[in-house]
């Protein structure tokens, strides 16, 4: 099946630990995005990448890091520097230069 | 001022009614506009794209008013299955999509 796979779906971590969220796509889309969603705040852009080996900070990049070594993969690391990491994380892809995003099912991170 | 603003609702509407809600945007250079639907605890899914003055798809109509910088979504003959959060989004600079906070809609039997 073509699509976007995010894993894990649910993740619990202790304060002070780094965690990496996986996002894999087989849609052959160039651009990939990471959004964070908190209740009542909509989607906020963390990082995005339009081509392999290149990525840009979004509106709330502090405390996060990404890599784009392959077209299919765009993992997000939530570091211990992120003060409020508990949230719903959404990965999305799109054909270049359009706003029609395709989303993965999301990863729910809870920091205990 | 937020780049994209929506009334969060909730809008509680009886089944069969027509409902409309707006979304305002601050950047007059925005090129394209979108409505996404998000069910509870699920990912958003594209509902409609709005590239020029408007777009219609069955019971759903989206309109763009560039002079007043808003887009609207109209749902006719609402169904129970239309209950969801509706997110509007605008495309800036050919690179990234900016979302509003969403409008929560509940259709009441």
């Amino acid at each position: 099946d073509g699509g976007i796979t995010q894993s894990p779906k649910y993740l619990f971590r202790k304060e002070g630990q780094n965690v990496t969220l996986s996002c894999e796509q087989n849609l052959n889309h160039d651009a990939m995005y990471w959004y964070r969603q908190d209740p009542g705040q909509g989607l906020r852009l963390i990082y995005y990448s339009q081509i392999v080996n290149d990525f840009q900070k979004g509106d709330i990049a502090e405390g996060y890091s990404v890599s784009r070594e392959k077209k299919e993969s765009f993992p997000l690391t939530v570091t211990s520097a992120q003060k409020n990491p508990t949230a719903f994380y959404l990965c999305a892809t799109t054909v270049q230069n359009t706003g029609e995003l395709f989303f993965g099912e999301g990863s729910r991170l809870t920091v205990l | 001022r937020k780049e994209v603003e929506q009334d969060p609702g909730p809008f509680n509407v009886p089944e069969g009614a027509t409902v409309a809600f707006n979304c305002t945007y601050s950047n007059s250079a925005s090129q394209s506009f979108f409505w996404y639907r998000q069910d509870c605890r699920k990912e958003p899914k594209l509902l409609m794209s709005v590239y020029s003055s408007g777009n219609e798809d069955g019971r759903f109509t989206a309109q763009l008013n560039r002079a007043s910088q808003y887009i609207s979504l109209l749902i006719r003959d609402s169904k129970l299955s239309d209950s969801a959060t509706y997110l509007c989004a605008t495309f800036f600079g050919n690179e990234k999509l900016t979302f509003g906070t969403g409008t929560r809609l509940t259709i009441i039997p």
Side-chain angles (χ1 to χ4, degrees), chain A residues 29 31 33 35 50 92-103, chain B residues 31-36 44-51 87-99:
Chain A
H29 286 170
Y33 302 79
Y35 286 89
Q50 295 193 301
T93 72
T94 187
V95 175
Q96 196 69 269
N97 293 335
T98 76
E100 298 182 6
L101 296 185
F102 296 83
F103 285 89
Chain B
Q31 295 153 312
S32 46
F33 308 86
F34 305 87
W35 283 103
Y36 283 78
K45 293 185 179 177
L46 181 66
L47 179 66
M48 298 184 76
S49 306
V50 188
Y51 289 105
L87 302 163
C88 77
T90 63
F91 201 43
F92 292 94
N94 281 340
E95 286 195 345
K96 58 179 185 174
L97 203 60
T98 299
F99 285 86

Side-chain angles (χ1 to χ4, degrees), chain B residues 61-106:
Chain B
T61 300
Q63 293 200 310
L64 167 63
N65 185 318
R66 283 198 182 271
S68 300
Q69 294 185 207
Y70 73 86
I71 60 172
S72 63
L73 180 67
L74 179 81
I75 306 174
R76 289 179 296 277
D77 187 24
S78 53
K79 312 289 184 192
L80 296 176
S81 57
D82 294 333
S83 297
T85 295
Y86 291 85
L87 302 163
C88 77
T90 63
F91 201 43
F92 292 94
N94 281 340
E95 286 195 345
K96 58 179 185 174
L97 203 60
T98 299
F99 285 86
T101 54
T103 296
R104 194 166 143 210
L105 174 67
T106 301

Side-chain angles (χ1 to χ4, degrees), chain A residues 48-56 66-69 74:
Chain A
Y48 63 105
S49 167
Q50 295 193 301
I51 56 172
V52 175
N53 292 323
D54 189 39
F55 48 82
Q56 287 77 41
V66 293
S67 63
R68 186 91 186 272
E69 296 176 2
F74 191 40

